Amino acid sequence: MSGSRYSDLDRPPLSEAALNRALLRPGGLWTGVTVVESTGSTNADLARAAQEGAAEGAVLVAEAQEAGRGRLGRVWNAPPRSGLTFSILLRPEVPVASQGWLPLLYGVAAASAVRRLAEVDVRLKWPNDLLIGERKLAGVLAERADDAVVVGMGLNVSLRAAELPVATATSLAIEEAACLDRDPLLRAVLREVEVHYREWTAAGGDAEACGLRAAYLAASATVGRQVRVELPGRPALIGRASGIDRSGCLEVEGPDRLHTLSAGDVVHVRPAE
């Protein structure tokens, strides 16, 4: 069994056929789920597919990712089949100014799905992390590819403490979650993403009108707290995270004025307490 996909029975492989049977339906968002044993980056692969004309709703899942990237090019990896590493291809017909909400929408959907199945309290750290307590459970990365947007997530499922990439991370196994089965977790996340995406696009990308902004604020671990924002080439900003604006930017009340920050403006956002 050495080298087999079934060599670690605690980490069984995903079934591409079963996922497609469960998720593809006439008129649905998802147009095809592909599961690969290994790749460099699911986001990079789907970005290339988008540039070649791939349809909205493509999903790419990797059992292992060799060059996983987070925001600002941060690199991470995990043992094969120990998490969910996947990306989706979207072609939203909403104003570009509103598309900053996509990673936040994805976070709301993923947190809701994981909370429901795994029975753990998942919160959202702006702009792109899912937390349990102060520890990172998952990261979300959205990237533009011509007129498309690729959104990827890495969710730690069965990682053991010794396998964590950093001491500030966690996994569903470590948190003794009710569900460690990656198949229903993936299905639940994608179904929840579809619901929120349909509502958001129907509202023309207006996060207020479709209830997305309220849902994000309700799950936020950032808004309402004193934060320290690390900025590239500038002194850190310390203030109260007071809200999210119409474009998905973080509003921070500094000592002198209100600062509005996009994800690309910041290196880190951390609690200041």
Side-chain angles (χ1 to χ4, degrees), residues 22-252:
L23 291 164
L24 272 60
R25 57 183 176 79
L29 175 62
W30 309 116
T31 52
V33 181
T34 302
V35 179
V36 298
E37 280 301 300
S38 178
T39 191
S41 162
T42 56
N43 261 31
D45 291 352
L46 268 194
R48 282 192 294 273
Q51 291 162 350
E52 293 166 2
E56 180 175 65
V59 181
L60 177 62
V61 188
E63 298 284 38
Q65 191 168 239
E66 307 303 327
R69 292 173 296 118
R71 206 171 56 84
L72 303 180
R74 298 174 185 127
V75 178
W76 60 271
N77 52 53
R81 301 182 302 282
S82 64
L84 280 173
T85 305
F86 63 104
S87 299
I88 63 174
L89 170 58
L90 301 173
R91 296 185 180 276
E93 295 181 358
V94 303
V96 172
S98 299
Q99 293 183 19
W101 272 99
L102 269 174
L104 281 66
L105 179 157
Y106 197 103
V108 167
S112 176
V114 173
R115 195 181 298 120
R116 185 174 68 254
L117 263 68
E119 299 177 15
V120 289
D121 184 21
V122 183
R123 313 293 287 177
L124 298 171
K125 175 188 172 186
W126 187 90
N128 67 331
D129 290 346
L130 278 66
L131 305 180
I132 297 179
E134 297 294 337
R135 295 183 177 275
K136 181 174 177 176
L137 177 69
V140 176
L141 179 65
E143 299 178 290
R144 180 164 297 283
D146 293 340
D147 62 343
V149 178
V150 174
V151 189
M153 182 171 78
L155 171 69
N156 298 331
V157 179
S158 66
L159 271 81
R160 305 163 185 114
E163 296 172 325
L164 293 174
V166 292
T168 53
T170 191
S171 72
L172 292 177
I174 290 169
E175 300 295 334
E176 300 180 348
C179 177
L180 300 180
D181 188 335
R182 294 183 305 144
D183 180 282
L185 285 166
L186 178 56
R187 296 185 195 191
V189 170
L190 290 174
R191 286 171 177 153
E192 196 81 20
V193 168
E194 178 171 6
V195 170
H196 285 280
Y197 183 70
R198 294 294 199 201
E199 293 172 347
W200 177 71
T201 53
D206 188 331
E208 187 75 43
C210 68
L212 175 59
R213 183 172 177 273
Y216 186 87
L217 292 174
S220 177
T222 302
V223 175
R225 300 182 70 174
Q226 285 290 117
V227 294
R228 178 184 178 89
V229 184
E230 303 288 345
L231 302 165
R234 294 162 52 193
L237 167 65
I238 298 176
R240 179 178 175 273
S242 58
I244 305 291
D245 79 357
R246 295 182 65 87
S247 299
C249 294
L250 181 67
E251 296 174 328
V252 178

Side-chain angles (χ1 to χ4, degrees), residues 6-32:
Y6 293 91
S7 58
D8 186 343
L9 296 181
D10 290 332
R11 292 171 174 169
L14 292 165
S15 166
E16 179 178 292
L19 288 165
N20 278 289
R21 283 195 301 270
L23 291 164
L24 272 60
R25 57 183 176 79
L29 175 62
W30 309 116
T31 52

